Amino acid sequence: MSTLSQPLAGKVALVTGGSRSIGAAIAQRLAADGASVAITYSASPVKAQEVVQAIERAGGQALALHADAGDPAAVRAAVTRTAEAFGSIDVLVNNAGIALGGAIDEIRFEDYERMIAVNVTGVFVATQEAVRHMKESLALRPLPRVTRTCRASGRTAHVALNTSAACPLRRQSWMSTGRARPPACITAAASVGGVCTEAPACTR
């Protein structure tokens, strides 16, 4: 297969929250482009295996890992297992995320804390751990990619919160103690707008 038809041949990608909807579509497209793909899931083992099987039927390599995006230890373990299974990590897609909808005075604080754990802390931990593996292969591979998918909307007196750590991560990759340095990876935030999926509002 040519690099034109499979531009990611030989690369390794990790997609958090890759068992359903947008994450599943991203994982399958990365695999179609030639990447070996690991996906994480929290509450959908059957869906995760369906994604893996679909990729394998198409001739790709895939791995499903149980990892709650709000659990730093589980996120680190998923990144490590991806690198161990496929030899490296070239692409990280921080897709796992939850949104809180409704009147702001009705949102429970524990739900807000859960959102921060998944959407901010989880993104930071996954990126930090993945970049460590990416640095190990920088001499042999093109600059790795880190992407954060974003879904957000808002109405008067209501909120739909979905925070992203992509911007501060980009700044941190360029700056160290006030001095510019080459980035450890290329970062990007991909906004897909408001998307209706089969997942409940506060579960992914």
Side-chain angles (χ1 to χ4, degrees):
M1 192 71 68
S2 71
T3 56
L4 292 177
S5 59
Q6 287 198 318
L8 296 179
K11 301 295 191 293
V12 177
L14 170 61
V15 181
T16 67
S19 65
R20 297 183 295 184
S21 305
I22 297 170
I26 292 172
Q28 291 181 69
R29 177 52 190 265
L30 289 168
D33 284 347
S36 297
V37 180
I39 63 172
T40 67
Y41 67 92
S42 176
S44 305
V46 174
K47 291 286 188 181
Q49 286 304 317
E50 289 175 354
V51 173
V52 169
Q53 290 167 5
I55 290 173
E56 291 178 339
R57 282 196 301 270
Q61 287 186 303
L63 174 68
L65 302 169
H66 180 261
D68 185 332
D71 180 347
V75 172
R76 291 190 185 98
V79 174
T80 299
R81 288 181 63 190
T82 299
E84 290 175 347
F86 297 125
S88 66
I89 296 178
D90 301 286
V91 178
L92 169 66
V93 180
N94 283 301
N95 173 75
I98 57 178
L100 302 181
I104 192 167
D105 59 338
E106 296 176 356
I107 294 175
R108 299 185 307 169
F109 186 72
E110 52 266 38
D111 290 335
Y112 166 79
E113 288 186 306
R114 169 66 176 167
M115 181 193 68
I116 294 298
V118 172
N119 295 8
V120 179
T121 305
V123 171
F124 174 81
V125 170
T127 303
Q128 182 184 59
E129 197 67 22
V131 165
R132 288 172 176 152
H133 291 280
M134 291 174 177
K135 285 181 177 179
E136 295 174 0
S137 60
L138 276 178
L140 302 175
R141 298 167 180 262
L143 210 57
R145 266 64 173 172
V146 176
T147 301
R148 171 64 166 144
T149 58
C150 310
R151 297 169 293 279
S153 62
R155 294 180 179 178
T156 303
H158 287 72
V159 295
L161 301 173
N162 193 328
T163 53
S164 172
C167 289
L169 285 172
R170 165 174 285 196
R171 182 181 305 155
Q172 190 63 32
S173 71
W174 276 94
M175 302 299 294
S176 175
T177 63
R179 295 183 297 175
R181 65 176 180 177
C185 61
I186 295 174
T187 63
S191 178
V192 296
V195 177
C196 183
T197 71
E198 79 276 12
C202 295
T203 304
R204 178 170 289 282

